[in-house]
Amino acid sequence: MPSDTSPAASALPLIDIRGLRSADPAAQRAVADQLRQACLEHGFFYITHHGIDPALIDQVFAASQRFFDLGLDDKLAVDKRLSPCNRGYEPLKAQTLETGAPPDLKESFYIGAEVPADDPRVRAGRFNTGPNQWPATLPDFAPVMNRYYAAALDLGETLVRGLALSLDLPPAHFDAYLDDPSATLRLLHYPPQPANPQPGEKGCGAHTDFGGITLLLQDAAGGLQVWDTRQQCWIDAPPVPGAFVVNIGDLFARWTNDRYVSTLHRVINVSGRERYSVPFFFTGNLQHPVACLPTCLAPGETPKYPVVTVEEHQIACYRRTYG
């Protein structure tokens, strides 16, 4: 585990992704080149002009705060442990992302695609597939989250096609992976960091994300830090108005033979107030095989990892975190 140092000034790139939606191949390529550089160096970057309505983002944060303001009994009525597909509320200190550290000082709520219990995919036991749980006392909660889920899914698909270009592949290379994609929307609430925390205690322990890519909204409190391998220190990833933070997950790193890096990150809420964030974990088609991409092997080089399906990869990652 990297040692704690004073965070350096943020050096994460800011990328305007409008060109990915352009019909001009040169405009698409210009964005793809920036994505490639960011993924090779940091695995983290900001995106602007993402196309998601700021009013919808405001509604998501407001609905999230209303949920976490509920009494514990109301939140536990939709406890994630009641769901066979990992949907619903996860209490404070339920997850430990950093090995050897105390449990994380956060509570959360998990949302996925709405799939009825009698759907063949659910009956087949597809991982993280099934119906959501919704708080009965907040009637506007589900509509807001479903609208945002659809918008974030569309943005994730746009970025994955941009990543294909960045890897010198056709934009449609990942279309089978994007067919019937799995994703998880997670609402997070961090109380202020205690004045006298346990050794190593923090809002979210150092970890890498499991899936393909993560799209993160964060409020003004800050607290996200990213490990900079070159400088060997933590760098801040402060909120940038109107921007998402995006990072490469373990799945995409594996796919690129670790050319694109899945980077350690953590959260320490030293703002003195409540912190809210909204990561969207884009996973992709669960049955899609993940084999080293042809453009990510130098002559004579062999893949570091065996072929797995997206689902097999996700199950292995969850087992590491939750035992």
Side-chain angles (χ1 to χ4, degrees):
M1 176 61 228
S3 61
D4 287 349
T5 61
S6 298
S10 181
L12 300 180
L14 184 70
I15 303 174
D16 180 338
I17 65 165
R18 278 178 292 186
L20 293 181
R21 294 193 174 94
S22 169
D24 179 5
Q28 296 175 25
R29 169 53 62 182
V31 177
D33 288 345
Q34 293 178 71
L35 292 175
R36 178 180 179 83
Q37 194 65 30
C39 292
L40 289 170
E41 291 185 0
H42 299 285
F44 264 84
F45 50 94
Y46 296 90
I47 60 168
T48 61
H49 297 97
H50 43 74
I52 296 185
D53 186 353
L56 177 57
I57 292 171
D58 290 343
Q59 291 167 15
V60 169
F61 274 114
S64 176
Q65 184 169 347
R66 285 195 296 272
F67 173 78
F68 289 118
D69 283 346
L70 293 174
L72 185 59
D73 287 346
D74 286 332
K75 291 186 284 192
L76 289 177
V78 286
D79 194 313
K80 188 163 75 77
R81 291 174 296 183
L82 302 173
S83 168
C85 56
N86 297 309
R87 307 288 176 77
Y89 175 65
E90 186 173 70
L92 195 70
K93 299 186 177 183
Q95 187 179 42
T96 304
L97 282 171
E98 184 176 322
T99 303
D104 294 348
L105 292 172
K106 66 179 189 298
E107 57 179 340
S108 60
F109 191 87
Y110 290 81
I111 301 162
E114 190 67 59
V115 183
D118 61 355
D119 186 281
R121 292 167 293 175
V122 180
R123 290 208 289 248
R126 290 278 74 86
F127 183 66
N128 272 3
T129 303
N132 289 298
Q133 297 192 88
W134 300 111
T137 56
L138 298 175
D140 295 335
F141 185 83
V144 167
M145 297 306 165
N146 284 328
R147 286 198 300 273
Y148 179 74
Y149 184 97
L153 197 69
D154 179 72
L155 175 57
E157 291 174 356
T158 297
L159 284 169
V160 168
R161 292 190 176 98
L163 290 174
L165 274 175
S166 79
L167 291 160
D168 297 320
L169 297 165
H173 180 85
F174 292 117
D175 277 6
Y177 167 71
L178 297 176
D179 180 49
D180 189 25
S182 174
T184 298
L185 170 60
R186 189 177 186 185
L187 311 178
L188 287 164
H189 167 234
Y190 299 84
Q193 183 79 359
N196 297 298
Q198 298 180 51
E201 189 174 40
K202 54 186 75 74
C204 182
H207 67 286
T208 57
D209 290 346
F210 302 157
I213 58 173
T214 302
L215 316 175
L216 175 70
L217 294 173
Q218 50 179 339
D219 70 3
L224 175 63
Q225 296 179 345
V226 176
W227 183 249
D228 188 306
T229 303
R230 293 176 302 173
Q231 299 184 75
Q232 289 293 291
C233 67
W234 293 100
I235 60 174
D236 286 326
V240 173
F244 279 81
V245 177
V246 179
N247 64 279
I248 296 295
D250 297 342
L251 178 75
F252 228 96
R254 178 186 186 124
W255 222 337
T256 65
N257 222 30
D258 291 333
R259 295 287 199 278
Y260 284 8
V261 291
S262 181
T263 304
L264 281 172
H265 52 287
R266 67 184 188 181
V267 173
I268 304 177
N269 182 19
V270 294
S271 67
R273 56 191 174 90
E274 312 299 309
R275 178 186 190 266
Y276 298 89
S277 70
V278 184
F280 183 83
F281 302 103
F282 190 99
T283 305
N285 185 298
L286 292 173
Q287 299 306 293
H288 192 74
V290 176
C292 183
L293 296 165
T295 56
C296 294
L297 281 178
E301 188 179 10
T302 57
K304 294 181 180 180
Y305 308 102
V307 179
V308 295
T309 65
V310 171
E311 183 175 46
E312 289 167 342
H313 170 84
Q314 291 295 106
I315 289 172
C317 290
Y318 267 71
R319 283 177 178 160
R320 286 200 304 271
T321 300
Y322 289 101

